[in-house]
Amino acid sequence: EKFKLKILDPSKTKKGFSASIKFHGVKTDFGLGGIHGARESGIYTSNEEMIIMSSDVTSFYPNLAIKNEWSPAHLPKEAFCEQYEWFFNERIKIPKSDIRNYVYKIILNSTYGLSNDKYSFLYDPQFTMQITINGQLSLLMLYEMIMDNIPGSIPLMHNTDGVETLIPIKHKKKYLEICKEWELLTNLNLEHDSYRQLILADVNNYIAVNNWKKITREEYNKLKENPHNLLKQEKGHFYHSKVKCKGRFEFQNLPLHRNSSSLIVTKALYHYFLNDITPESYIENNRDIFDYCIGKKIKGNWRFEKRWIDKEYKTEKLQKTIRYYASHKGCKIIKINNSDNREIQTESGKWLLTIFNEYKNKEWSKYNVNDKYYLNSIYTEIENIAGPKTKQIKLF
């Protein structure tokens, strides 16, 4: 009813479309990009009575257009929908590990995105809103169906195209039946997973750990080559647990456009939560200088300036893109606005930095890295998730 009364101006949709509701104790936000909501940060764990279920809509926004035969108003509907569906069908033929799958994914998603770009030939904001609003309401309908029909279910997270719910394990069959009913209502498809643990910072940053899956010895030996796979042997059998890292917890196979700053922090958190390795121990055993580096870019009417004392106060103008790490001795790096001379420290507080734009191979001690800077970031994140006094918290 709230959305029915809302009038959207195409010239303002990028800034003006938003709404929020409280849904079973979780603040749920609607926006141009999608629906978002999550419980408070913490570690949520499946047990003998409860299981974390995850359900994602297959290629959600493109399929909303394909299945409902929506198209930008100025383009021939039949031709557009036929071509759009062709890209989707080609994508599902290819494994996700194949780069071509990713290319098709970008084509499918960018078609939706460009429909809200006034400089694109696909521009039609009504097409954008049809997909965005119907998609968000459809996803929340799925959550509502689960909450209304499964006693004791608890919403954990919903983010654009999927939902994570903690349900009594005895109602898992009922959960899948509800999902099937939703698929028939919407003509969309869901992909299901179950997690034994969800390490949640917020809706965009989390680690999801799948249940153990039995594998062959050959698969075990192959996966063992990657130290970031969770593997175990038990009574002569081999098991693998897939781990999904999102947001600031991602560190493997990052695309080139992603910021890979301070990977030592991300990796230490991964091994702390999943392998019970202390941050101090992990840092001591990872002395790859690139994992300690931080990258920054500057745009517009700003500049970077290096400031330090070497018998006397010195300054030096830096390039627009820089790389540095925290060190025991070094400089401060300041971001300065050329118009009004506003100043912002890249790393506030007591921390000193070493510029590392050009790689220099040295003995580790010669880099003079300040481990305390990175440990401070790691423990701040741990306390945000697990609390200041306990290593882990559970919902029960």
Side-chain angles (χ1 to χ4, degrees):
E1 291 303 316
K2 185 173 183 178
F3 280 20
K4 281 179 182 178
L5 298 172
K6 195 170 184 70
I7 297 173
L8 298 176
D9 182 340
S11 66
K12 299 176 182 177
T13 50
K14 285 195 173 182
K15 296 180 180 178
F17 174 55
S18 64
S20 295
I21 63 165
K22 197 85 169 179
F23 179 71
H24 286 266
V26 177
K27 182 174 179 285
T28 299
D29 297 315
F30 297 85
L32 185 62
I35 192 172
H36 300 86
R39 298 195 83 79
E40 62 273 13
S41 58
I43 299 174
Y44 299 96
T45 307
S46 295
N47 58 26
E48 292 179 355
E49 296 180 356
M50 304 289 285
I51 186 172
I52 300 170
M53 293 299 299
S54 174
S55 299
D56 291 333
V57 189
T58 306
S59 200
F60 192 17
Y61 283 6
N63 263 319
L64 273 168
I66 292 166
K67 301 298 184 183
N68 290 286
E69 297 183 345
W70 295 334
S71 70
H74 56 287
L75 298 178
K77 178 183 288 189
E78 187 175 334
F80 174 84
C81 292
E82 182 181 329
Q83 187 65 57
Y84 209 16
E85 187 170 15
W86 181 88
F87 279 114
F88 171 74
N89 290 334
E90 289 299 304
R91 185 194 173 200
I92 60 176
K93 294 177 186 176
I94 303 168
K96 288 185 178 180
S97 57
D98 191 315
I99 188 64
R100 291 174 299 167
N101 182 291
Y102 180 73
V103 171
Y104 281 124
K105 177 183 177 181
I106 294 300
I107 292 170
L108 288 163
N109 290 341
S110 63
T111 299
Y112 156 76
L114 289 170
S115 69
N116 200 44
D117 180 355
K118 65 181 180 181
Y119 300 108
S120 170
F121 79 98
L122 292 169
Y123 181 59
D124 179 359
Q126 181 168 328
F127 174 75
T128 311
M129 291 301 110
Q130 273 184 311
I131 292 174
T132 298
I133 295 175
N134 279 283
Q136 292 177 85
L137 292 176
S138 296
L139 198 64
L140 201 61
M141 179 174 69
L142 173 61
Y143 238 149
E144 192 171 29
M145 291 167 69
I146 295 167
M147 295 297 112
D148 287 350
N149 292 283
I150 298 183
S153 56
I154 300 167
L156 295 180
M157 181 169 65
H158 34 286
N159 189 0
T160 306
D161 62 354
V163 299
E164 279 71 38
T165 318
L166 190 63
I167 65 167
I169 200 165
K170 64 183 179 182
H171 293 312
K172 183 178 177 181
K173 183 179 177 182
K174 178 67 174 175
Y175 175 93
L176 296 175
E177 289 173 352
I178 291 167
C179 290
K180 193 57 153 178
E181 181 185 351
W182 183 87
E183 288 178 323
L184 293 171
L185 280 169
T186 60
N187 206 18
L188 298 167
N189 295 311
L190 291 164
E191 298 172 7
H192 306 292
D193 252 326
S194 59
Y195 300 149
R196 57 190 175 91
Q197 198 170 63
L198 178 64
I199 300 158
L200 178 64
D202 56 54
V203 70
N204 295 312
N205 301 280
Y206 60 89
I207 301 173
V209 187
N210 281 49
N211 286 317
W212 292 105
K213 178 184 176 183
K214 193 174 180 180
I215 58 175
T216 65
R217 179 189 291 272
E218 290 73 22
E219 289 173 319
Y220 178 88
N221 290 332
K222 186 176 180 181
L223 289 167
K224 193 166 61 173
E225 296 173 5
N226 185 338
H228 304 304
N229 282 308
L230 295 184
L231 301 165
K232 70 175 182 178
Q233 296 184 50
E234 200 172 83
K235 297 179 180 179
H237 298 292
F238 303 92
Y239 298 90
H240 171 240
S241 179
K242 181 182 174 183
V243 180
K244 180 166 69 173
C245 299
K246 286 293 184 181
R248 59 179 177 268
F249 294 108
E250 293 181 72
F251 62 91
Q252 288 182 285
N253 303 316
L254 290 175
L256 292 176
H257 68 275
R258 287 289 302 275
N259 191 330
S260 56
S261 293
S262 293
L263 287 182
I264 188 68
V265 173
T266 308
K267 292 179 179 181
L269 288 166
Y270 178 95
H271 288 285
Y272 173 80
F273 285 118
L274 275 65
N275 297 318
D276 207 25
I277 297 173
T278 66
E280 290 83 358
S281 177
Y282 183 78
I283 280 183
E284 187 178 337
N285 288 284
N286 180 349
R287 293 312 194 184
D288 181 347
I289 189 61
F290 288 113
D291 278 355
Y292 293 79
C293 286
I294 301 164
K296 297 282 185 183
K297 277 184 185 178
I298 206 165
K299 293 181 180 180
N301 200 26
W302 291 81
R303 72 179 188 276
F304 283 126
E305 187 175 278
K306 171 184 174 182
R307 295 176 182 175
W308 76 106
I309 295 176
D310 183 10
K311 295 183 181 178
E312 59 182 33
Y313 179 73
K314 295 185 177 181
T315 65
E316 178 186 333
K317 186 178 178 182
L318 300 174
Q319 61 199 54
K320 292 270 188 180
T321 301
I322 59 172
R323 183 172 64 190
Y324 60 85
Y325 60 85
S327 52
H328 291 288
K329 296 180 181 179
C331 66
K332 298 296 286 184
I333 301 175
I334 312 298
K335 179 181 172 182
I336 304 170
N337 186 283
N338 293 318
S339 299
D340 55 20
N341 291 319
R342 275 179 294 146
E343 296 187 356
I344 303 170
Q345 291 188 48
T346 55
E347 304 296 334
S348 60
K350 63 183 180 181
W351 309 112
L352 296 176
L353 313 169
T354 293
I355 301 292
F356 199 65
N357 290 334
E358 183 180 344
Y359 171 70
K360 294 178 182 177
N361 187 17
K362 305 177 185 178
E363 292 180 16
W364 180 256
S365 60
K366 299 287 178 65
Y367 286 119
N368 204 23
V369 172
N370 188 346
D371 288 347
K372 289 182 179 179
Y373 168 87
Y374 302 96
L375 286 168
N376 183 68
S377 297
I378 294 165
Y379 277 108
T380 297
E381 188 73 79
I382 289 172
E383 290 185 8
N384 172 49
I385 294 172
K389 294 182 180 179
T390 56
K391 183 177 177 183
Q392 289 193 359
I393 59 173
K394 296 185 180 180
L395 199 62
F396 311 102

